[in-house]
Amino acid sequence: MRPSPELAILVGVLLVFSPLYVGVFHIGDPTYRLTAAEVEPTDDGFEVHGPYPTWGLDDDIICVGLTDRPCVLERHLLDGANVSTRYGVEFGHYQYEYVYANETFYRVAYDERGGRTALRLEPVPTEDALYHSASPVGAVRAPVRQAVESGSATARQSLLGDSGKLVAESGTYYVVTEEVVRSSTAAERRGEEIEEAVSVLGPVAGLLLVLWGQRGLIRRA
């Protein structure tokens, strides 16, 4: 039994625009494994009970881990150097609030003197730096929140905006790392093939169905 022209046109239109929505189903996409590690304040800085991102604890804290800058300016200030500028203050690629060096947290501060800005670093307690840098667990996305609450979680898309960020829950601090787990099962590989076939062949088949449906409507009229 042949489909009605109206049904053929409807299905055809859906197939024509299939490349726009087929990716929404994440067929064959990699899975992202999120793992939370507790960050404990200690007398000599902090201790992470598990893995944490190589770039550090949080965007608000620099000079922790393998950062994208050597922190020469900050170490220069800690050595007692006087650094000033007449153009105001810019902290790297983005604003940061704290520096970690010599097992101590420092707050970035500056003074205005005679139209110039003098930079300095003020030592602060570890608890203060972690408290003011951390995001509340309710402010992060659901998979990251689940990782904090249960230790681990999975996601179908990258959450780099929230993973690698210091998160606070009930007075305890956590940092969440993200690991890509590539598709490996036969079903997932088959899903990738189906998604690619629909994206490539769907518009062609859809256009043919629309044309067939239009001809059917003309004949019926």
Side-chain angles (χ1 to χ4, degrees), residues 68-159:
D68 60 353
R69 51 172 295 182
C71 298
V72 173
L73 171 62
E74 290 74 20
R75 298 191 185 282
H76 192 53
L77 290 172
L78 289 175
D79 288 339
N82 180 25
V83 177
S84 63
T85 174
R86 69 178 63 184
Y87 301 109
V89 180
E90 257 187 47
F91 304 126
H93 298 297
Y94 30 66
Q95 289 276 352
Y96 62 87
E97 191 73 21
Y98 298 97
V99 175
Y100 183 72
N102 304 328
E103 299 181 339
T104 303
F105 283 94
Y106 297 86
R107 181 174 55 242
V108 178
Y110 58 94
D111 298 313
E112 298 291 343
R113 302 172 184 171
R116 300 180 68 88
T117 301
L119 301 177
R120 56 188 171 86
L121 297 178
E122 297 178 342
V124 297
T126 298
E127 182 69 32
D128 287 0
L130 297 182
Y131 176 82
H132 290 291
S133 299
S135 300
V137 68
V140 297
R141 284 178 282 185
V144 176
R145 183 165 61 251
Q146 181 183 350
V148 169
E149 294 171 348
S150 61
S152 63
T154 58
R156 297 298 295 181
Q157 58 182 345
S158 175
L159 299 174

Side-chain angles (χ1 to χ4, degrees), residues 60-73:
D60 269 349
I61 305 172
I62 67 165
C63 305
V64 179
L66 302 176
T67 62
D68 60 353
R69 51 172 295 182
C71 298
V72 173
L73 171 62

